[in-house]
């Protein structure tokens, strides 16, 4: 069983990349519009909608960056107090706070853009509503995704057969024993490609909100499509429980394909290469469907109906033996 530690390390690396990306956006937005902003810059608005406070140009980047630093420090201390675990609440707060400060910065730049004096800056009422909505959605999505990852890691630690290598096509499962087998594979190049595409898409969207670019759709739509499709093919995790096999795609573990025990005729471990299945990612070939993230060991299931399905994960022999044991128990029981 594996995947829990890799998931934690991946979450920490993702948080670090996100923190740096937010810093970059907070500084880059005012610098990109430097020649089109008044001095000082309107940074506070009254209830009536007009600006009633300003900040020197240097502070437009420095103050939000300082606020982001304080937020990061608070989250880091909170994580330390909980034993270093990656909690859904921490991830949700980090995502929501990052979207909030970046959106606020984009709104400030947009409201001040091409005005001679800060008192003439546009209102930010609609921008505030959009930023708050995006912040809440980001926190919700990331929190749910992190919670799912934590549940899968917990399932893998629940114990069960497989403390010793499988000696044959089946494993002996003591009656009444709880168990789970979890294996995970990551293609770091695909994950990096997805992350870079997402950052470029986010940067394009933020620049459009700030009024620094015109129509963003010709660049934004392809970047979003590439980011999502590559993201879903960058990580895969296979989970075997008494219910059957569950294969989850992407670092967030969604979407998911499931095969109940009664739908699986047999399972096996098999060596496959990208050349055999037609490349990397989610591939269809004469061998059936293969999720190919790295060459080598694959868990292959043969359903009662339909073509074979294979996923490239470590310890495939143990997962196959466990599935065969479950299928045999279902057939005889």
């Amino acid at each position: 069983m594996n995947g829990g530690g890799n998931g934690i390390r991946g979450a920490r690396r993702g948080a670090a990349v996100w923190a740096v990306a937010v810093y970059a956006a907070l500084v880059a937005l005012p610098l990109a519009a430097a020649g089109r902003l008044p001095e000082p810059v309107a940074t506070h608005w009254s209830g009536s909608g007009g600006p009633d406070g300003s900040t020197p140009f240097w502070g437009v980047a420095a103050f939000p960056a300082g606020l982001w630093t304080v937020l990061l420090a608070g989250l880091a201390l909170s994580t330390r107090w909980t034993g270093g675990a990656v909690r859904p609440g921490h991830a949700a707060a980090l995502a929501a706070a990052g979207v909030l400060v970046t959106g606020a910065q984009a709104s400030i730049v947009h409201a001040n853009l091409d005005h001679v004096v800060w008192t003439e800056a546009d209102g930010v009422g609609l921008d505030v509503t959009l930023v708050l909505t995006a912040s809440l959605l980001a926190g919700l999505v990331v929190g749910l995704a992190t919670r799912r990852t934590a549940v899968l890691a917990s399932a893998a630690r629940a114990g069960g057969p497989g403390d010793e290598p499988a000696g044959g096509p089946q494993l002996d499962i003591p009656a009444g024993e709880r168990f789970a087998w979890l294996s995970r594979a990551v293609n770091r190049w695909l994950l990096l490609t997805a992350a870079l595409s997402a950052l470029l898409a986010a940067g394009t969207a933020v620049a459009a909100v700030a009024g620094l670019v015109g129509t963003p759709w010709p660049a934004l739509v392809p970047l979003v499509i590439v980011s999502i499709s590559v993201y879903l093919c960058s990580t895969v995790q296979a989970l075997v429980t008494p219910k059957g096999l569950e294969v989850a795609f992407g670092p967030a573990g969604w979407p998911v394909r499931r095969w109940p025990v009664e739908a699986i005729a047999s399972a096996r471990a098999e060596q496959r290469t990208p050349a055999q299945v037609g490349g990397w990612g989610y591939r269809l070939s004469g061998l059936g469907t293969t999720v190919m993230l790295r060459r080598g060991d694959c868990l292959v299931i043969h359903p009662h109906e339909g073509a074979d399905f294979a996923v490239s994960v470590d310890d495939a022999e143990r997962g196959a033996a466990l599935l065969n044991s479950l299928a045999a128990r279902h057939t005889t029981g």
Side-chain angles (χ1 to χ4, degrees):
M1 297 175 211
N2 50 49
N6 290 336
I8 292 174
R9 287 191 294 271
R12 289 174 177 169
R13 285 193 292 266
V17 171
W18 175 245
V20 173
V22 172
Y23 273 123
L26 294 176
V27 174
L29 279 169
L31 290 180
R36 302 171 61 186
L37 298 178
E39 173 61 53
V41 179
T43 53
H44 190 272
W45 280 256
S46 65
S48 60
D52 61 358
S54 64
T55 300
F57 177 79
W58 63 267
V60 175
F63 290 165
L67 176 61
W68 181 234
T69 301
V70 172
L71 290 171
L72 290 178
L75 287 172
L77 287 174
S78 178
T79 302
R80 187 179 182 87
W81 290 334
T82 56
V86 181
R87 309 260 184 208
H90 297 152
L94 184 66
V99 172
L100 182 63
V101 295
T102 304
Q105 184 75 308
S107 297
I108 289 173
V109 171
H110 182 251
N112 284 273
L113 204 62
D114 296 326
H115 289 291
V116 178
V117 293
W118 68 268
T119 54
E120 298 176 353
D122 300 331
V124 294
L126 178 60
D127 289 350
V128 170
T129 301
L130 294 176
V131 169
L132 289 175
T133 301
S135 176
L136 290 173
L137 287 175
L140 178 62
V141 170
V142 172
L144 290 175
T146 308
R147 181 177 181 275
R148 173 178 174 77
T149 301
V151 168
L152 287 174
S154 176
R157 293 191 298 267
D163 292 334
E164 298 295 332
Q170 295 188 19
L171 291 176
D172 182 21
I173 307 174
E177 183 173 335
R178 295 178 60 194
F179 63 87
W181 173 87
L182 174 67
S183 190
R184 189 169 184 263
V186 179
N187 186 309
R188 302 189 186 283
W189 290 108
L190 292 178
L191 191 59
L192 178 61
T193 300
L196 290 176
S197 300
L199 289 176
L200 288 173
T204 302
V206 170
V209 171
L212 299 178
V213 297
T215 303
W217 306 116
L220 187 60
V221 172
L223 286 171
V224 170
I225 293 174
V226 169
S227 179
I228 293 176
S229 58
V230 176
Y231 171 88
L232 294 178
C233 293
S234 67
T235 306
V236 67
Q237 51 194 13
L239 175 66
V240 176
T241 68
K243 295 181 179 179
L245 174 65
E246 178 180 294
V247 177
F249 301 90
W254 187 91
V256 180
R257 285 195 65 178
R258 295 181 176 89
W259 290 264
V261 172
E262 58 269 21
I264 299 174
S266 63
R268 66 186 186 275
E270 186 174 293
Q271 296 290 309
R272 292 188 179 182
T273 66
Q276 289 177 306
V277 300
W280 302 97
Y282 197 97
R283 314 302 298 183
L284 301 176
S285 67
L287 296 175
T289 300
T290 304
V291 182
M292 177 59 65
L293 270 67
R294 53 109 180 97
R295 68 179 69 243
D297 212 15
C298 291
L299 171 62
V300 186
I301 62 168
H302 178 63
H304 288 292
E305 298 181 2
D308 286 358
F309 179 91
V311 55
S312 58
V313 291
D314 296 331
D315 199 26
E317 185 177 355
R318 196 187 313 251
L322 182 54
L323 281 172
N324 286 331
S325 299
L326 292 169
R329 174 187 289 184
H330 181 269
T331 301
T332 59

